[in-house]
Amino acid sequence: MKTLRIKCLRALLWLIGHLPLAFAQALGRVVGLCLWAARDRTRKVTERSLALAYPDRPEAERRTLARNSLRETGKLIAEVPIMWESPVPRCLGLIREFEGQYLLDEARAEGRGVVLIVPHLGNWELLGLYYSTRFSMAALYSPPKMAEMEDYMSQVRGRGGSELVRADRRGVLRLFSILREGGVVGILPDQVPDASGGTYAPFFGIDVLSMKLVSRLVQKTGARAVVTYCERLPKAQGFRLVADEVDPRLYNEDTDTSVAGLNATVESVVRRIPEQYQWEYKRFRKQPPGQPNPYKDL
């Protein structure tokens, strides 16, 4: 039964993956509207996250942003099969412009390693595929809940040349090694870490448990950090790749100060296109001891 389910899922991914972008995004908008209309946990978490991040905005404005955010999430869901199943040249052809490329060129010219800070903003699957075709790159990942899909996901994500390393001790050591050799690593910085791997730092004005890994990678290897995202353009025109400087505090030798700089970096780019951020992820759930989980009642 499980094998049949995997085969059906793979067939669906293949089918959607060969749709034109406009068709896939139209399908994604429908998915997003269904998420909104269902009034289930996904919508409730999105609305709660936005209430925490933008407490001063009128409720009607946050409501509109939540609806638009779920539409964009629906688009991402429908775009992922394209990024996994379509030929690499087709995927890369969807990128219409690249703002800030000089930052990576400078770091590479200096022979320094680069830590790509990749928030859950826009189409981060396409982002990883693009960079993997340009650099000797490794990306940290957590195994999927459906273990049978792990080999498939590693294969499609690595077909551009990226090395996929598990988010465990061996994988982290591999990242240090790659950076010391002048390579590139990609990190999703806005995931909630285990207590041992995190410290509390402000994100949209709220102290939340935040990863220390990026700070340690930069501190111990002298790598350059670059925040980057792939913005979805309107009317299925494609995507705009953006690379930008990080908050200078990220390079501070004090880990707490550095992590505060990391969160400020992520927050700054999210504020540019907040509707394309994945607010349905419970980013604010782990706060300092004594503070309740704001999603507990959902």
Side-chain angles (χ1 to χ4, degrees):
M1 187 68 177
K2 188 175 290 187
T3 301
L4 177 60
R5 183 176 60 176
I6 295 298
K7 287 183 178 180
C8 290
L9 177 57
R10 290 282 302 273
L12 180 62
L13 290 171
W14 183 90
L15 179 62
I16 299 175
H18 287 80
L19 292 175
L21 180 64
F23 284 15
Q25 290 188 346
L27 177 62
R29 283 196 299 272
V30 173
V31 172
L33 289 173
C34 290
L35 291 173
W36 176 258
R39 297 178 179 271
D40 63 0
R41 182 172 294 184
T42 301
R43 172 174 168 175
K44 291 176 181 178
V45 170
T46 298
E47 291 182 315
R48 182 64 54 84
S49 295
L50 286 168
L52 292 165
Y54 296 103
D56 297 330
R57 286 196 180 187
E59 184 176 351
E61 185 176 327
R62 290 202 306 265
R63 185 183 178 89
T64 298
L65 180 54
R67 184 174 64 248
N68 291 340
S69 174
L70 289 177
R71 285 177 179 171
E72 296 299 317
T73 294
K75 290 179 185 178
L76 176 63
I77 292 171
E79 291 164 359
V80 166
I82 295 177
M83 305 307 137
W84 288 358
E85 291 288 344
S86 289
V88 172
R90 181 205 171 190
C91 296
L92 300 186
L94 297 173
I95 298 174
R96 306 307 182 195
E97 55 184 295
F98 187 176
E99 177 184 320
Q101 183 173 350
Y102 72 94
L103 293 173
L104 289 103
D105 293 339
E106 287 177 356
R108 303 301 291 162
E110 296 168 359
R112 298 171 65 185
V114 178
V115 178
L116 296 175
I117 298 172
V118 185
H120 288 84
L121 184 68
N123 191 320
W124 40 275
E125 287 282 354
L126 177 56
L127 191 79
L129 185 60
Y130 172 81
Y131 283 122
S132 70
T133 63
R134 288 204 59 206
F135 306 113
S136 174
M137 176 181 167
L140 200 66
Y141 81 99
S142 298
K145 293 180 180 179
M146 297 176 65
E148 299 84 359
M149 291 292 289
E150 182 173 2
D151 288 343
Y152 165 74
M153 291 174 64
S154 296
Q155 177 185 351
V156 295
R157 284 176 167 170
R159 70 191 194 283
S162 179
E163 178 182 348
L164 281 296
V165 297
R166 274 189 172 226
D168 55 23
R169 185 176 182 276
R170 179 178 295 181
V172 170
L173 290 175
R174 176 63 180 146
L175 297 185
F176 279 102
S177 175
I178 289 169
L179 288 173
R180 291 191 178 104
E181 295 169 359
V184 177
V185 304
I187 303 287
L188 296 168
D190 44 3
Q191 300 181 83
V192 179
D194 294 333
S196 62
T199 187
Y200 294 99
F203 184 62
F204 282 86
I206 299 173
D207 283 343
V208 293
L209 190 62
S210 307
M211 69 164 57
K212 295 187 288 188
L213 176 59
V214 173
S215 300
R216 288 172 172 169
L217 289 171
V218 170
Q219 291 165 352
K220 294 185 178 182
T221 68
R224 182 167 186 169
V226 175
V227 62
T228 184
Y229 60 95
C230 195
E231 179 182 359
R232 186 175 298 105
L233 298 175
K235 299 180 181 179
Q237 296 177 65
F239 300 88
R240 181 171 74 104
L241 199 63
V242 179
D244 208 346
E245 298 277 10
V246 300
D247 186 297
R249 289 176 293 171
L250 195 151
Y251 294 104
N252 197 287
E253 293 183 0
D254 177 73
T255 299
D256 287 346
T257 302
S258 177
V259 175
L262 172 66
N263 280 2
T265 297
V266 174
E267 180 178 333
S268 69
V269 294
V270 170
R271 287 185 180 276
R272 297 175 188 176
I273 47 172
E275 68 281 358
Q276 293 193 30
Y277 189 61
Q278 291 185 248
W279 296 103
E280 72 274 10
Y281 180 66
K282 299 177 182 178
R283 183 63 185 93
F284 299 98
R285 73 179 182 271
K286 289 190 177 181
Q287 298 183 24
Q291 295 295 321
N293 179 350
Y295 305 102
K296 187 175 181 180
D297 61 324
L298 301 182

